[in-house]
């Protein structure tokens, strides 16, 4: 698989949603620039932070998220690796055990399974196996998601693939601010974190406030649109599409609260449960199969906790088939704002 020359220019921002005016003190940047700035600021703040990945040095990364960092920090802190994900994730573990904070880039989320042994079986267990004497502060970055016409092998978000591995934290960036804050928080964390971004959002613009005080709180979801009638919980690209749906539904008198879940492990059930307790209705919007994912975990936890819902929850998810190379079929599979809006109307009926 040849890396793309640039991020796919799909799912352009809609007026009034993502391209909102920046609040005071914020700059407006693209999602991928927010990722690059997070790496830059983290490397400037801590000389133990270094980068590893395929084509991330002089080439600036397959999605241009490391442009200029090799020139700024040099060959001792920005490393090109061979196409051997499990190998260089294992190298990152060794670096972390000697006091460094490596950030590993996996070109596509779909390549994460080739590094499963290092990410799932080694990184999160080191603190436990050493009796707390050491830890593995490794950040693994991966770009995923559909909409880029990459077909079945390189279009998964992969966001829920690591939910069963205790000791591993999982972050999902739904905005430029989220991309910056989550990545900075992951790099500063003393245990391994996998941070997912979405390929189709790389060119999307939004406000960003930078700084050491802008790190995301580990395990904390973000209410990106308050509302009183229905709670929609979303991740990655689905956050934006849920906001689009909410804006459309507002014209019908339906007030939707949208939560950017931000962390899948730990999962912020307190924020979700508080919202659902007010609205009594829940929709989860996820670009993944529902079974075994974070959306099903949220519904399960609400059910086992005895949450009082006015209507059965609805999951807007991917159909259980592989993404097609056919653009119309690919677009039909990925949850749209219209599907999310229909789900909201169904729980409101």
């Amino acid at each position: 698989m040849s890396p793309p020359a640039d991020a796919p220019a799909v799912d352009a921002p809609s007026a009034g949603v993502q391209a909102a005016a920046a609040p005071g003190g914020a700059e407006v940047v693209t999602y991928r620039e927010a990722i690059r700035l997070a790496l830059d600021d983290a490397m400037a703040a801590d000389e133990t932070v270094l980068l590893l990945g395929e084509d991330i040095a002089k080439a600036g990364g397959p999605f241009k998220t490391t442009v200029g960092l090799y020139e700024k920090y040099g060959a001792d802190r920005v490393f090109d690796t061979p196409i051997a994900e499990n190998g260089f994730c294992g190298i990152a573990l060794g670096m972390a055990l000697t006091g460094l904070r490596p950030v590993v880039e996996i070109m596509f989320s779909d390549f994460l399974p080739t590094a499963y042994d290092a990410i799932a079986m080694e990184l999160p267990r080191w603190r436990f196996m050493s009796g707390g004497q050491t830890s593995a502060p490794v950040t693994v970055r991966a770009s995923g998601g559909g909409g880029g016409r990459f077909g079945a092998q390189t279009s998964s978000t992969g966001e829920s693939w690591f939910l069963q591995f205790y000791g591993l934290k999982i972050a999902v960036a739904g905005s430029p601010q989220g991309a910056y804050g989550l990545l900075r928080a992951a790099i500063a964390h003393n245990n391994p974190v996998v941070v997912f971004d979405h390929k189709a959002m790389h060119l999307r613009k939004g406000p960003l406030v930078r700084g050491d005080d802008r790190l995301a709180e580990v395990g904390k979801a973000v209410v990106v649109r308050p509302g009183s009638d229905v709670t929609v919980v979303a991740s990655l690209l689905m956050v934006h599409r849920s906001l689009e749906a909410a804006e459309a539904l507002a014209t019908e008198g339906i007030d939707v609260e949208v939560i950017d879940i931000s962390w899948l492990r730990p999962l912020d059930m307190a924020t979700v449960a508080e919202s659902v307790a007010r609205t009594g209705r829940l929709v989860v919007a996820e670009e993944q199969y529902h079974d075994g994912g974070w959306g099903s975990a949220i519904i399960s936890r609400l059910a086992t906790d005895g949450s009082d819902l006015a209507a059965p929850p609805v999951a807007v998810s991917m159909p259980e088939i592989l993404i097609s190379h056919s653009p119309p079929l690919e677009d039909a599979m990925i949850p749209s704002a219209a599907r999310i809006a229909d789900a909201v109307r169904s729980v409101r009926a």
Side-chain angles (χ1 to χ4, degrees):
M1 173 67 65
S2 298
D6 208 340
V10 299
D11 212 62
S14 297
V17 180
Q18 187 71 30
E27 53 187 319
V28 176
V29 302
T30 62
Y31 181 86
R32 71 176 178 189
E33 177 65 1
I35 295 170
R36 196 195 69 81
L37 290 170
L39 295 172
D40 191 359
D41 289 352
M43 296 180 79
D46 184 350
E47 64 180 12
T48 68
V49 177
L50 46 84
L51 313 181
L52 300 89
E54 298 156 2
D55 295 333
I56 67 164
K58 292 182 179 179
F63 295 106
K64 305 306 178 190
T65 53
T66 56
V67 170
L69 300 182
Y70 175 85
E71 290 77 10
K72 185 173 183 178
Y73 296 102
D76 291 338
R77 296 183 66 188
V78 183
F79 298 90
D80 273 334
T81 65
I83 304 174
E85 286 81 2
N86 196 52
F88 61 77
C89 285
I91 291 171
L93 171 60
M95 289 177 164
L97 296 180
T98 59
L100 301 173
R101 288 186 180 272
V103 180
V104 175
E105 177 175 313
I106 303 294
M107 185 183 298
F108 290 96
S109 296
D110 307 74
F111 300 162
L112 284 165
T114 67
Y116 237 93
D117 180 63
I119 298 172
M121 306 306 291
E122 300 294 338
L123 293 177
R125 301 177 186 221
W126 205 264
R127 178 186 289 275
F128 176 79
M129 292 191 298
S130 69
Q133 297 181 73
T134 188
S135 61
V138 176
T139 300
V140 179
R141 285 190 53 239
S143 296
R149 314 312 184 210
F150 290 107
Q153 290 181 304
T154 46
S155 296
S156 303
T157 66
E159 60 198 274
S160 289
W161 291 349
F162 294 99
L163 284 182
Q164 287 287 325
F165 295 99
Y166 183 81
L168 195 64
K169 293 183 174 61
I170 305 168
V172 283
S175 68
Q177 188 67 57
Y180 180 89
L182 291 169
L183 186 51
R184 291 286 319 266
I187 294 170
H189 197 59
N190 286 327
N191 286 297
V193 183
V194 182
V195 182
F196 290 91
D197 63 70
H198 198 293
K199 299 193 294 288
M201 296 176 68
H202 281 162
L203 299 182
R204 184 179 303 282
K205 291 184 177 180
L208 171 67
V209 181
R210 299 162 62 186
D212 294 344
D213 61 343
R214 305 302 298 186
L215 277 62
E217 181 180 347
V218 174
K220 184 66 177 176
V222 179
V223 177
V224 292
R225 186 186 192 283
S228 59
D229 292 334
V230 177
T231 300
V232 177
V233 186
S235 64
L236 296 167
L237 180 63
M238 294 300 105
V239 174
H240 175 74
R241 294 192 175 178
S242 297
L243 289 170
E244 283 187 321
E247 293 301 317
L249 290 163
T251 65
E252 303 172 22
I254 302 175
D255 191 17
V256 177
E257 180 151 298
V258 179
I259 297 175
D260 178 349
I261 193 65
S262 300
W263 295 88
L264 307 187
R265 176 176 276 280
L267 197 56
D268 184 2
M269 284 305 302
T271 294
V272 175
E274 187 280 329
S275 177
V276 170
R278 284 187 288 103
T279 65
R281 296 169 173 83
L282 172 68
V283 171
V284 294
E286 50 190 0
E287 189 182 326
Q288 59 177 0
Y289 307 130
H290 181 63
D291 291 350
W294 62 262
S296 58
I298 283 178
I299 293 172
S300 172
R301 290 200 196 181
L302 290 172
T304 54
D305 288 344
S307 296
D308 186 17
L309 294 172
V314 172
V316 183
S317 313
M318 297 281 284
E320 293 199 3
I321 55 175
L322 295 172
I323 285 184
S324 170
H325 276 290
S326 161
L329 290 178
E330 180 177 15
D331 292 343
M333 290 181 64
I334 300 171
S336 64
R339 279 181 59 193
I340 296 168
D342 286 343
V344 170
R345 294 187 188 99
S346 74
V347 299
R348 187 95 190 300

